[in-house]
Amino acid sequence: FIVIFDKEVKNAAEDHYEMMKECYKTRVQSIIKADESNDSTVFDQSAIRDFSVDGSIQGYTSYFTPEFAKAVGNMKNVKLIEEERKVKVDGPQRFSKRYFINKRAEDDEVGPNLDRIDQAKRPLDGKFIYPDSAGKGVNIFIVDSGILLTHEQFNGRAKFGRSFCGNCTRNVIYHHGTFVASIAAGNSVGVARKANIVDVRVLDAEGEGSTANMIEGLCFIIKQHKNGKNKNSVVNMSLGTDSVSRALNHVVKEITDAGIHMAVSAGNAFSADACKISPASAPSAITSGATERTSDAVTDFSNIGKCVDIFAPGRTVLGAGIGDNDSYIVSSGTSASSPLVAGTLALLISKSGNKPPAALTKVLIKLSTKGVITGLKKGSPNAL
């Protein structure tokens, strides 16, 4: 279960730990700071994992019986309690077999996804034009399945932040995170080519995790942002639940309240309502749907609705793979659309300076091309 308190309360997790141990005689035997623990404690049913960040959020995860969870929910200062939910990468995934790109051709050719986002109208001009600052000085946190940090697309700009998934081995990762990171900030297949990339791993080698993992990862980012000198922070989350998580959406709000920009995928449930899943339904996140490769039609797989803020290309997108440091894959999904938004936010920050998340979102929407997306149902914004 995920327990979140009123954020003004101090030492809430510690108080609950003492109460459970002394008064309720539960099996809880220890309290662990989530961002200081190792992956082996994720499934430790005798521990409380404290993800609190002073001034932003107070909370923890722990194993309870449903009956005891109900009792905890009625305790003083508990804002909400929610059973953790499964999370997976935003499938369906349509991957090609691994292949290699000629480096010279790679420098000369631009993928249609990048080609489309730097110009208002079609036809495409075969170029990707971006500011010289290229996202320099911006940290893009990729909350996903891990990143192959040594891939040629990252050129030493990617670093490991923290892992929050159970039974995760550092060098055994799922391809999704590397692919997403390369679209946000790869040297030649990405948008913000001078941005820093931070790997925050919340999914295992099968691309699966839980809302508890995601929340711990997001709280780690809040702490890094608050304690670090660099306040230019962007988060990308191309993953989601199959239902709304109040707890996850609450933490997304704390992310943006802390001044961190949040790009998320709308999901790929074939025209389903993005308001019915998380984090796509989080009001303060920028939720991205997907358009086609050869036109500006909305894809058949993209979720839609009023919780979507913007659309970006998401069909047959080229990105980094994990087979080798110079391997590549092709995939379709809103997972490929969201990092285009994250990278664009980094471009805007490095070129014109940072703004509060709500203000920068308005800039992004104002710069988007209106009225060109076809096939949209009523309620979705026509902004590319």
Side-chain angles (χ1 to χ4, degrees), residues 26 40 74 79 97 125 147 152 202 244-245 340 355:
T26 65
S40 65
N74 292 325
K79 192 176 186 72
K97 64 182 180 179
D125 62 6
I147 299 173
E152 65 178 8
V202 299
V244 172
S245 166
L340 291 175
K355 292 179 171 63

Side-chain angles (χ1 to χ4, degrees), residues 61-287:
T61 60
S62 190
Y63 286 82
F64 299 147
T65 63
E67 295 77 18
F68 188 69
K70 187 174 180 180
V72 171
N74 292 325
M75 292 177 182
K76 184 180 179 181
N77 297 319
V78 173
K79 192 176 186 72
L80 66 89
I81 183 169
E82 180 180 283
E83 189 171 0
E84 71 171 353
R85 301 176 188 187
K86 289 185 177 180
V87 174
K88 58 184 178 180
V89 295
D90 263 337
Q93 299 298 317
R94 299 184 176 95
F95 285 103
S96 73
K97 64 182 180 179
R98 192 189 78 188
Y99 65 96
F100 296 88
I101 299 177
N102 178 280
K103 291 184 175 62
R104 182 171 296 173
E106 183 182 340
D107 292 336
D108 296 337
E109 296 177 7
V110 176
N113 62 329
L114 296 179
D115 195 357
R116 183 65 192 94
I117 67 169
D118 74 338
Q119 59 185 82
K121 304 286 184 180
R122 289 180 179 270
L124 303 183
D125 62 6
K127 301 176 182 178
F128 177 53
I129 301 170
Y130 55 92
D132 289 340
S133 51
K136 187 174 183 179
V138 180
N139 294 327
I140 304 180
F141 294 87
I142 304 296
V143 182
D144 213 289
S145 63
I147 299 173
L148 180 60
L149 304 176
T150 55
H151 197 284
E152 65 178 8
Q153 281 294 320
F154 307 132
N155 197 31
R157 293 178 292 112
K159 68 177 183 178
F160 180 71
R162 195 83 190 177
S163 176
F164 296 92
C165 51
N167 299 329
C168 285
T169 302
R170 179 76 176 269
N171 296 321
V172 181
I173 60 176
Y174 192 66
H175 47 241
H176 191 266
T178 302
F179 173 79
V180 167
S182 71
I183 297 169
N187 290 335
S188 61
V189 300
V191 180
R193 301 179 177 187
K194 295 180 182 178
N196 305 313
I197 304 161
V198 184
D199 176 12
V200 180
R201 188 177 180 185
V202 299
L203 303 180
D204 63 19
E206 302 299 320
E208 298 178 350
S210 75
T211 48
N213 306 144
M214 294 170 70
I215 286 170
E216 290 179 359
L218 291 176
C219 290
F220 164 77
I221 293 170
I222 294 174
K223 186 175 289 187
Q224 293 293 300
H225 176 81
K226 293 184 75 169
N227 294 341
K229 293 181 180 179
N230 186 351
K231 303 299 182 184
N232 298 327
S233 302
V234 176
V235 175
N236 187 85
M237 291 182 72
S238 290
L239 38 85
T241 62
D242 58 7
S243 60
V244 172
S245 166
R246 288 177 58 218
L248 180 55
N249 285 1
H250 177 86
V251 178
V252 169
K253 184 179 185 301
E254 297 300 339
I255 277 273
T256 53
D257 283 354
I260 303 166
H261 308 276
M262 187 89 185
V264 305
S265 55
N268 305 321
F270 295 90
S271 300
D273 186 357
C275 292
K276 294 183 178 180
I277 62 173
S278 292
S281 58
S284 62
I286 305 173
T287 302

